[in-house]
Amino acid sequence: MSTEPQPQTQAQELNAIAESIDRGEDSYAVPEEMLVDPEEGKPVNKSLYTQILTMKVGEKLKLALKGNKEARSILIRDPNRLIHRFVLLNPRISDEEVLAIARNRNLDQELLRKIGEHKSWPRNSLVRLALVTNPKTPLATALPLVNQLAERDLRVIAKSKNVSATVVTQARRLLFNREKKLGQRVGE
């Protein structure tokens, strides 16, 4: 019989830790320089990556929820996929960071799905395009976004060999329908 915690139990434990961090009732110590964004032009601490590597999961969670841009960029590549979710929950995460995550073809489908389901990130046309063109984006997330793309983006996707065949087919169908409607208007 295995003594490792089940993934659902582990997720529940991490959610409980995240809630205690938000309330400020945690006992995890994170260096202050990792919580504050560095001043413009100030060099970034080179050992930040090394410090994060040696942190416990709870400390990484706290850093994901409250950390600065450099810490978030390191934590989004952490092997623990659950930490990625907490990076997205950081209130200071910018659209540029979300765009970089959406473009990253090495990240998990779950993370891309979370970005696609967010209330404001898919409104950004660059994020929408990045999600649609990322082959790891689940079809249930990518297909509704295809309908919202500009014609020039649809033309690129319709010829692309780097995206799902289903997404390419949807882009071609939309282009055909748009051209058909335009032809009917001109012929009237």
Side-chain angles (χ1 to χ4, degrees):
M1 189 167 166
S2 176
T3 59
E4 288 187 32
Q6 297 298 321
Q8 189 174 16
T9 306
Q10 185 181 22
Q12 290 170 340
E13 290 172 5
L14 289 176
N15 284 333
I17 292 170
E19 289 172 10
S20 70
I21 290 170
D22 277 343
R23 290 191 304 266
E25 299 170 355
D26 62 283
S27 61
Y28 300 111
V30 177
E32 187 65 32
E33 69 267 10
M34 291 184 191
L35 299 176
V36 182
D37 285 316
E39 296 173 19
E40 192 75 30
K42 187 177 177 183
V44 178
N45 184 356
K46 299 284 187 216
S47 66
L48 181 64
Y49 180 75
T50 308
Q51 288 177 314
I52 291 174
L53 277 178
T54 60
M55 288 182 162
K56 296 176 184 170
V57 174
E59 294 168 333
K60 287 181 181 181
L61 275 178
K62 181 172 185 171
L63 192 57
L65 289 170
K66 299 192 179 274
N68 62 24
K69 183 177 180 177
E70 288 78 20
R72 290 190 300 269
S73 70
I74 293 169
L75 288 170
I76 202 68
R77 296 184 307 256
D78 192 89
N80 187 337
R81 296 181 327 179
L82 295 171
I83 291 176
H84 303 166
R85 189 171 89 210
F86 295 109
V87 170
L88 290 179
L89 293 174
N90 189 315
R92 297 188 304 171
I93 194 165
S94 66
D95 285 348
E96 291 82 23
E97 290 173 89
V98 173
L99 178 59
I101 293 167
R103 286 180 175 158
N104 190 333
R105 295 171 186 253
N106 296 321
L107 292 177
D108 187 38
Q109 290 182 0
E110 180 67 20
L111 199 59
L112 297 169
R113 187 181 62 75
K114 291 268 186 207
I115 292 171
E117 290 175 349
H118 194 271
K119 63 181 179 181
S120 63
W121 294 330
R123 291 181 189 161
N124 181 325
S125 61
L126 294 174
V127 172
R128 253 192 331 263
L129 181 61
L131 286 171
V132 169
T133 57
N134 190 328
K136 285 205 172 175
T137 303
L139 287 176
T141 301
L143 287 176
L145 297 175
V146 173
N147 299 330
Q148 301 171 25
L149 293 177
E151 186 173 331
R152 66 179 168 5
D153 295 331
L154 287 173
R155 291 190 186 285
V156 170
I157 291 170
K159 297 175 186 174
S160 178
K161 300 206 183 308
N162 297 326
V163 296
S164 163
T166 308
V167 171
V168 170
T169 302
Q170 179 72 6
R172 288 178 182 164
R173 186 177 301 132
L174 284 169
L175 282 170
F176 178 77
N177 289 338
R178 288 180 186 179
E179 289 170 358
K180 187 176 169 183
K181 283 182 183 178
L182 183 62
Q184 287 176 349
R185 287 185 197 150
V186 172
E188 288 179 7

